[in-house]
Amino acid sequence: MTERPASVLRLYDTLAGSVRDFVPLRPGHVSIYLCGATVQGLPHIGHVRSGVAFDVLRRWLTAKGLDVAFIRNVTDIDDKILHKAADAGRPWWEWAATYERAFSAAYDALGVLPPSAEPRATGHITEMVELITNLIDRGHAYTGGGDVYFDVSTLPDYGKLSGHKPSDVHQGEGVATGKRDQRDFTLWKGAKPGEPSWPTPWGRGRPGWHTECVAMCQAYLGSAFDIHAGGMDLVFPHHENEIAQAEAAGDDFAGFWLHNGWVTMGGEKMSKSLGNVLAIPAVLQRVRPAELRYYLSSAHYRSMLEFSENALQDAAKAYAGIEDFLHRVRGRVGAVAPGVWTPRFGAALDDDLAVPVALAEIHAARAEGNRALDAGDHDGALAQAMAIRAMMGILGADPLDERWESRDETSAALAAVDVLVRAEVRRRADARASQDWAEADAIRDRLKEAGIEVTDTSDGPQWSLLDGTDK
């Protein structure tokens, strides 16, 4: 069989159920829509994995000479946002804005490039009303009880993305009196007391989640675009229902559907029940941002990433090994400019973004470079270092990029604190094992007095800095 040229990018398309050659709809230009955050609370590492994964895709496309339009939305109106804001006694818009800023800070901390545009759902109500009106006029939607629903029975191939059969569909919306069929899904929710609402031809209300993204895709990328991306938990019902609306409206919609795997703990999807232990600010007290980015991208984007503290620290050490080599070369040879990635690295990313293989190539180059440096072959070491900078740059984690050159006093202090705290945590664990509760409590109290909170998790004790108000 003839070997496929390395320049051909192949991506796994969820809709096709296979890896396909990626050819942009318009030569030289790639259009991508990524389902962004529903800004209901603090982002944890499971939330931002898609941001990191598809940032690598964007950087690789750009490195291959393509112009990329990258849209990542913000869902700022949603049942969960309204309920959590109400429970906290806060305005819904303030709640959404607060956590939108938290997500933006998390993306920025991990070096995720800003999107070409970052539309909010509430900024596109007009487009949603136009879309729903079109679906009603075409006979694919109907009104009932103040709401508007999509009629699933009007699309014979409904379920083609997820593999669900229409007869087995459960939208997870509960029982609604206005629905003709419980398989149908909500496009527009009629106004309720205390909730925000907007005027429409069928009465005041607010949009359904599935309608928001279709309207924003159309507004920014048109009726046909290259890639729609998001987490695998969105395949059904969200992305399935996006396809239904877009095709019922007469659009071609996305050419490829890409989905990243979850971050899991104990085989379970990461959830809010973990509290703030794995929130981005807490994790960044234990490893540097570039090290967390390295960890989140170290597994193939479609695979599950099983979180453990040991794996996180191993990733940090692996990143530090690359960093140390580059610093050694710079110290002996001088400036190290980014060079050209190796053919194996390019072939790995062209093979459905096989980042683990790409990282193996980087570490092979590091090993070769260290051998050259130890042998006094400065030219050989410099060549490897330049290639590594190019490859790590495409992964968004080049240690010599000014963004990541963070060997400052804060980083050094946190590293020192981590060593001391872990020693205290081990002493506390030994005291608990010996049922010396007084000593265990005394250690905990000393740490709290120092502004450090220890949380017992299934992965062992984890520590984080208190914010100053909880001491």
Side-chain angles (χ1 to χ4, degrees), residues 319-329 370 407:
Y319 177 85
I322 297 169
E323 182 181 45
D324 287 343
F325 167 66
L326 293 177
H327 284 178
R328 286 184 70 203
V329 174
N370 273 322
R407 290 191 167 185

Side-chain angles (χ1 to χ4, degrees), residues 240-282:
E240 192 74 74
N241 290 347
E242 282 191 52
I243 290 178
Q245 293 171 84
E247 293 189 351
D251 291 350
D252 291 330
F253 213 49
F256 277 72
W257 288 86
L258 273 58
H259 294 96
N260 65 277
W262 296 333
V263 178
T264 59
M265 287 191 73
E268 299 291 333
K269 179 187 175 187
M270 193 165 289
S271 67
K272 295 290 184 184
S273 63
L274 293 169
N276 292 337
V277 172
L278 294 179
I280 298 301

